[in-house]
Amino acid sequence: MATITGVRVEDVRFPTSATADGSDAMNKDGDYSAAYVVLETDAPDPADPGGAPLGGYGLTFTIGRGNDIVAEAARQQAAALVGRDVDELAADMGAVYRDLTADSQLRWLGPEKGVVHLSLAAVLNAAWDLVARRAGKPLWRVLVDMTPEELVDIADLRYLSDALTRDEALAILRAREDTRQERIANLERTGYPVYTTSAGWLGYSDAKLRRLCQEAVDAGYHHVKLKVGANLDEDVRRLAIAREVLGPDRALMIDANQVWDVPQAIEWMGELAKFDPLWIEEPTSPDDILGHAAVRRAVAPIGVATGEHCHNRVMFKQLFQADAIDYCQLDTGRLASINEIVAVLLLAAKFGVPVCPHAGGVGLCEMVQHVSVLDYVAIGGDLTGRVTEYVDHLHEHFTDPCIVADRGAGTAYVLPSRPGYSTQMYEESLGEFRFPHGTYWLRHNAVHVPH
Amino acid sequence: MATITGVRVEDVRFPTSATADGSDAMNKDGDYSAAYVVLETDAPDPADPGGAPLGGYGLTFTIGRGNDIVAEAARQQAAALVGRDVDELAADMGAVYRDLTADSQLRWLGPEKGVVHLSLAAVLNAAWDLVARRAGKPLWRVLVDMTPEELVDIADLRYLSDALTRDEALAILRAREDTRQERIANLERTGYPVYTTSAGWLGYSDAKLRRLCQEAVDAGYHHVKLKVGANLDEDVRRLAIAREVLGPDRALMIDANQVWDVPQAIEWMGELAKFDPLWIEEPTSPDDILGHAAVRRAVAPIGVATGEHCHNRVMFKQLFQADAIDYCQLDTGRLASINEIVAVLLLAAKFGVPVCPHAGGVGLCEMVQHVSVLDYVAIGGDLTGRVTEYVDHLHEHFTDPCIVADRGAGTAYVLPSRPGYSTQMYEESLGEFRFPHGTYWLRHNAVHVPH
């Protein structure tokens, strides 16, 4: 027996705005933050039998103000898990998802979007972490050890049947079932390919941009992403620097973070096409499915990528149905955990769109490696055109941080080996960056009001 | 001078679940609630110079749990208005909207959807109420007294230029400008046509349904709406009763409240078509633009209606572009106030889709009458195919409740005449239904936890 005895939700904020880390054309001053959920149990942790009791640790990512609002929503949603038996949860995570999404009063606040969906992701991410720790396995392993039926049973297929039936989902999973071990062996050798965004934040100087691009080349990156969209002349100058350092053969991606209207996106990309970008990311409103399709038709062969703000599986379904994107950048803090992610991975496989998840932020890299491994091993089954985001900051706050290394096939996430979803933070980090009463914020006189 | 001196935000909940008022296939036990914003000023109220100071009163509607979360978000957003001069705000409400939506950290929690958009609606609705009270006019009058340029300047046209340019918006408004007074005179005579949903909640017995349909006929309604989607046999039985009472010439609308997948919606409507419904409302996920378009193609000539959960103007733009709906049911608590509503009304006019706003809830009828009048007088310019929702409950809590009467052309909203947006609630009502410490909730031992 292992019972969930309590829930703790923390509002954790890192002062990233001070160094322009994470700055882009829409988000100039983000303080990278996490609404962090701890599910406490009364059972020993199999990985540390004499230590602290077993816990589940999950989060969603925000960029500062309002993180308290998400934390409060998570607190209300997670309360339903207190008193539940962990093994019972683990045996039917589809039912856990349905229970937590069945509250029609809270549903009204979305539905399935915004604060209540972000907070649901945090709670369910913690539940998945708990399940994996209880099993003594990394989460990706828990998932790839499931049968096709078990994977379909945890997936939220509601509202998808016009694009993907349960039988089609099963057929996709069964077609990859026999070869899962080969792909795991591949990943054990090479890791999962990544690209870096660390070089290209908009607030960095040209000299810093040039140096960071060179460092990325030296570190073995085949793909580098830059932020664009604030000023066309500056974009041209910065992309020229990046392309010069990267040479003609490495991939350069660009990201406009939703600043353009559709006609403006098309016009601006006409000016940037000469730098041969692999994709333009978030060219316009994340809600604009038909707009992305229009941009894609106009800028081909440059690809269109989006997803970090795509709020649920119904939106991804339509992005696929409308031929609107070349790359699916789902987000582990915005979709409602593995349950909704599996549905999107299945849709992407059916429509033949490569999944290149969004990461960075706080803890997103830690989660996303599990998702990309699941996709390659059990669902998409392919690395062609796939590359997952990696940003090199804030990993020091995690007890099991992701590891990126070049083992001869380019820079890659090393396969996670420790139990869980890799999202536990050090208590010391919480003590320092808990808002507004952590030691960092007390020193900097944080006052808990907006603006 | 009139300065905003403070903000008060209330979590107000009415125990509607006790009587099944508002019950439908998705929402079985809603407690109709309002996140209610009061902007306090230091100026006298022109309508009551010796009384309480001028205030602005606005709200968004929710159905219970989570209303506190919306209230907290509204509190954070409204703080930016404290200290501002009311006449300065009134002179440029477009700038007020842009200021309140410019916080990129809060934007991350949507963007433009869910809790932070609902709360923004509450805050901006209060600001519009304040502006109208300061002018001593009902809000619809403030708006139809604006020039085309002024109306376009308050509208949020961002992300719409592929469907509607500023020049096109101006042309629509100018084409209706000279005839505004004729249409105002029309409305003074007949009011704005309404339909009733009061008869058709899913939790009502057959006998109550029959009685309420008959009362609607006797009261002069030409349109009645019923909830469907929980059980096909019951829907057939209930629609047969309604059609029998209404006769062949009155319009019967049905509302599935998002319970179906797309193929299921098409199949179910095949069975209900024989009752000749005017429209099927919310047949599937409110995010599913392409799904609504597929349902519309399949069920024609039955119309498709949606909008109460359509979270912003970008979604409405696509519903129009995809020919997905026959009726636009925008919601005054979900769109970010008049600023976003004017943009949607302009889009609807351009695409020729009648706007039949969602109402009911708490205070939505009070607001929606102003919006429908604005649409007819200055934007859409037509009553053909238009009918606005009316639900007969909770009006007793408002100081200037909407009035519905039959003046010979069918039941209609009587043109509002008192200053403001009609959304001020009695302090006595707040004292009774404030959650969890109002007298009603104290008597019923409300405990402020979910479930």
Side-chain angles (χ1 to χ4, degrees):
Chain A
M1 277 287 288
T3 304
I4 297 176
T5 53
V7 175
R8 185 158 61 97
V9 181
E10 303 269 7
D11 172 2
V12 190
R13 308 191 193 183
F14 299 95
T16 45
S17 60
T19 50
D21 297 343
S23 56
D24 62 53
M26 183 66 82
N27 309 293
K28 291 174 182 63
D29 64 344
D31 282 329
Y32 278 12
S33 302
Y36 180 68
V37 175
V38 180
L39 299 174
E40 300 164 334
T41 81
D42 57 8
D45 184 345
D48 182 16
L54 179 68
Y57 306 88
L59 60 83
T60 190
F61 167 61
T62 83
I63 62 171
R65 282 183 291 278
N67 197 48
D68 52 333
I69 298 170
V70 179
E72 173 56 25
R75 211 167 278 127
Q76 295 191 18
Q77 290 165 324
L81 294 177
V82 176
R84 300 284 302 270
D85 178 71
V86 177
D87 299 316
E88 221 175 83
L89 298 186
D92 192 354
M93 282 294 285
V96 174
Y97 176 92
R98 286 189 298 276
D99 283 355
L100 288 181
T101 54
D103 186 319
S104 70
Q105 295 192 3
L106 283 178
R107 186 180 185 279
W108 186 271
L109 307 185
E112 303 190 286
K113 60 179 69 69
V115 166
V116 295
H117 212 58
L118 291 163
S119 59
L120 184 67
V123 173
L124 283 165
N125 286 340
W128 278 108
D129 181 66
L130 179 60
V131 164
R133 286 169 185 272
R134 177 75 172 168
K137 299 177 185 177
L139 180 56
W140 69 264
R141 176 72 76 177
V142 171
L143 297 167
V144 306
D145 283 351
M146 288 182 174
T147 65
E149 289 73 15
E150 287 169 334
L151 276 171
V152 168
D153 285 343
I154 61 165
D156 181 4
L157 301 181
R158 187 171 195 184
Y159 296 133
L160 305 185
S161 60
D162 54 327
L164 179 79
T165 65
R166 184 182 160 87
D167 285 346
E168 288 173 318
L170 280 171
I172 289 167
L173 294 166
R174 285 183 184 138
R176 314 268 190 274
E177 195 178 6
D178 292 346
T179 48
R180 286 181 184 181
Q181 292 310 320
E182 295 165 26
R183 286 187 295 279
I184 294 173
N186 271 351
L187 293 181
E188 282 169 342
R189 265 194 314 277
T190 64
Y192 195 99
V194 301
Y195 71 89
T196 180
T197 308
S198 299
W201 303 112
L202 216 52
Y204 288 176
S205 69
D206 288 359
K208 186 168 182 178
L209 170 69
R210 181 180 294 275
R211 174 172 59 79
L212 291 173
C213 284
Q214 188 60 53
E215 287 176 15
V217 169
D218 296 344
Y221 285 99
H222 296 182
H223 300 79
V224 169
K225 191 167 84 186
L226 257 64
K227 300 293 181 175
V228 298
N231 177 298
L232 182 55
D233 291 338
E234 286 180 24
D235 284 351
V236 168
R237 197 183 71 240
R238 295 171 69 255
L239 289 185
I241 293 170
R243 181 48 84 197
E244 185 195 325
V245 178
L246 296 178
D249 296 333
R250 291 187 189 80
L252 174 61
M253 293 93 96
I254 58 178
D255 183 355
N257 291 88
Q258 318 169 18
V259 292
W260 298 319
D261 271 36
V262 170
Q264 195 185 7
I266 293 169
E267 199 188 319
W268 202 292
M269 286 307 298
E271 302 293 321
L272 302 185
K274 60 186 169 196
F275 300 108
D276 189 24
L278 178 64
W279 76 50
I280 173 64
E281 179 173 332
E282 290 203 307
T284 188
S285 164
D287 296 336
D288 201 344
I289 295 151
L290 302 178
H292 279 83
V295 172
R296 181 168 183 258
R297 286 191 298 272
V299 307
I302 298 168
V304 167
T306 198
E308 73 181 82
H309 280 84
C310 182
H311 56 266
N312 64 33
R313 70 205 175 282
V314 178
M315 298 300 285
F316 274 116
K317 176 184 78 168
Q318 295 173 86
L319 286 166
F320 298 137
Q321 288 173 318
D323 292 324
I325 56 174
D326 297 279
Y327 301 93
C328 165
Q329 300 181 301
L330 63 82
D331 184 291
T332 53
R334 211 168 273 278
L335 294 179
S337 91
I338 293 296
N339 303 84
E340 193 169 24
I341 289 170
V342 169
V344 174
L345 294 176
L346 285 163
L347 282 168
K350 160 133 187 221
F351 284 86
V353 175
V355 178
C356 300
H358 173 247
V362 180
L364 299 183
C365 299
E366 276 65 30
M367 289 188 272
V368 93
Q369 53 184 345
H370 295 267
V371 168
S372 284
V373 171
L374 166 67
D375 183 37
Y376 174 55
V377 173
I379 304 179
D382 199 348
L383 289 180
T384 314
R386 271 74 168 178
V387 63
T388 293
E389 188 162 19
Y390 171 69
V391 185
D392 182 18
H393 58 207
L394 302 175
H395 303 292
E396 64 275 19
H397 301 293
F398 291 86
T399 62
D400 179 24
C402 63
I403 298 168
V404 158
D406 183 356
R407 293 186 168 172
T411 314
Y413 280 119
V414 174
L415 210 55
S417 60
R418 287 172 52 188
Y421 203 4
S422 308
T423 35
Q424 183 178 7
M425 295 175 78
Y426 286 110
E427 286 297 324
E428 293 73 16
S429 295
L430 301 177
E432 189 168 359
F433 294 105
R434 179 182 289 130
F435 192 87
H437 295 118
T439 52
Y440 175 89
W441 294 111
L442 287 176
R443 272 202 313 279
H444 289 77
N445 300 310
V447 181
H448 191 190
V449 295
H451 307 285
Chain B
M1 276 289 287
T3 305
I4 297 175
T5 52
V7 175
R8 184 159 60 97
V9 181
E10 303 269 7
D11 172 1
V12 191
R13 308 193 193 182
F14 299 95
T16 45
S17 60
T19 50
D21 296 345
S23 56
D24 62 51
M26 183 65 84
N27 308 295
K28 291 174 182 61
D29 64 344
D31 282 329
Y32 278 13
S33 302
Y36 180 69
V37 175
V38 180
L39 300 174
E40 300 164 334
T41 81
D42 57 8
D45 184 345
D48 182 16
L54 180 69
Y57 306 87
L59 60 84
T60 189
F61 167 61
T62 83
I63 61 170
R65 282 183 291 277
N67 197 49
D68 52 331
I69 298 170
V70 179
E72 173 57 24
R75 210 167 278 128
Q76 297 191 17
Q77 289 164 324
L81 295 177
V82 176
R84 300 284 300 271
D85 178 70
V86 177
D87 299 317
E88 223 175 83
L89 298 186
D92 193 354
M93 282 294 286
V96 174
Y97 176 92
R98 286 189 297 277
D99 282 356
L100 288 181
T101 54
D103 185 319
S104 71
Q105 295 191 3
L106 283 179
R107 186 181 186 279
W108 187 272
L109 308 186
E112 303 190 287
K113 60 180 66 73
V115 166
V116 295
H117 213 56
L118 291 163
S119 59
L120 184 68
V123 173
L124 284 165
N125 286 340
W128 278 108
D129 181 65
L130 178 61
V131 164
R133 286 169 184 273
R134 177 74 170 168
K137 297 177 187 176
L139 181 57
W140 69 264
R141 175 73 74 177
V142 171
L143 297 167
V144 306
D145 283 351
M146 288 183 173
T147 64
E149 289 73 15
E150 287 169 334
L151 275 171
V152 168
D153 284 344
I154 62 164
D156 181 4
L157 300 181
R158 188 170 196 184
Y159 296 134
L160 304 185
S161 60
D162 55 327
L164 178 80
T165 65
R166 185 182 160 86
D167 286 345
E168 289 173 317
L170 280 172
I172 289 167
L173 293 166
R174 285 181 184 137
R176 315 268 191 273
E177 196 179 6
D178 291 346
T179 49
R180 286 182 185 180
Q181 292 310 320
E182 296 165 27
R183 286 188 294 279
I184 294 173
N186 271 351
L187 293 181
E188 283 169 341
R189 266 195 313 278
T190 64
Y192 195 98
V194 301
Y195 70 88
T196 180
T197 308
S198 299
W201 302 113
L202 217 51
Y204 288 177
S205 69
D206 287 359
K208 186 168 183 180
L209 170 69
R210 181 180 292 274
R211 175 171 59 78
L212 292 173
C213 284
Q214 188 59 53
E215 286 176 14
V217 169
D218 296 343
Y221 284 99
H222 296 183
H223 300 78
V224 169
K225 191 167 84 185
L226 257 64
K227 301 294 182 173
V228 298
N231 177 297
L232 183 55
D233 291 338
E234 286 180 23
D235 285 352
V236 169
R237 198 184 68 240
R238 295 171 70 255
L239 289 186
I241 293 171
R243 183 47 85 197
E244 186 196 324
V245 178
L246 296 179
D249 295 333
R250 291 187 189 80
L252 174 62
M253 295 93 96
I254 58 178
D255 183 354
N257 291 87
Q258 317 170 19
V259 292
W260 297 319
D261 271 36
V262 171
Q264 196 185 6
I266 293 168
E267 200 188 316
W268 201 293
M269 286 307 298
E271 302 293 322
L272 301 185
K274 60 185 170 198
F275 300 107
D276 189 23
L278 177 64
W279 75 51
I280 172 66
E281 179 172 334
E282 289 205 306
T284 188
S285 164
D287 296 337
D288 201 345
I289 294 151
L290 302 178
H292 279 82
V295 171
R296 180 169 184 258
R297 286 192 298 273
V299 306
I302 298 168
V304 168
T306 199
E308 72 179 85
H309 281 85
C310 182
H311 55 266
N312 64 34
R313 69 203 175 282
V314 179
M315 297 300 285
F316 274 116
K317 176 184 77 168
Q318 295 174 85
L319 286 167
F320 298 137
Q321 289 173 317
D323 292 323
I325 55 173
D326 297 278
Y327 301 92
C328 165
Q329 301 182 301
L330 62 82
D331 183 291
T332 53
R334 210 169 274 278
L335 293 179
S337 91
I338 293 296
N339 303 85
E340 194 169 24
I341 288 169
V342 169
V344 174
L345 294 176
L346 285 163
L347 282 168
K350 161 136 186 218
F351 284 87
V353 175
V355 178
C356 301
H358 173 246
V362 180
L364 298 183
C365 299
E366 276 64 32
M367 289 189 272
V368 93
Q369 53 184 345
H370 294 267
V371 168
S372 284
V373 171
L374 166 66
D375 184 36
Y376 174 55
V377 173
I379 304 179
D382 198 348
L383 289 180
T384 315
R386 270 74 167 179
V387 63
T388 293
E389 189 164 19
Y390 172 67
V391 184
D392 182 18
H393 58 208
L394 302 174
H395 302 293
E396 65 275 19
H397 301 293
F398 291 86
T399 62
D400 179 23
C402 62
I403 297 168
V404 158
D406 182 357
R407 293 185 168 174
T411 315
Y413 281 118
V414 174
L415 210 55
S417 60
R418 288 172 53 187
Y421 203 1
S422 309
T423 35
Q424 183 179 3
M425 295 174 79
Y426 285 111
E427 286 297 323
E428 293 72 16
S429 295
L430 301 177
E432 189 168 359
F433 294 106
R434 180 182 287 130
F435 192 87
H437 295 119
T439 51
Y440 175 89
W441 294 110
L442 288 176
R443 272 202 314 279
H444 289 78
N445 300 309
V447 181
H448 192 190
V449 294
H451 307 283

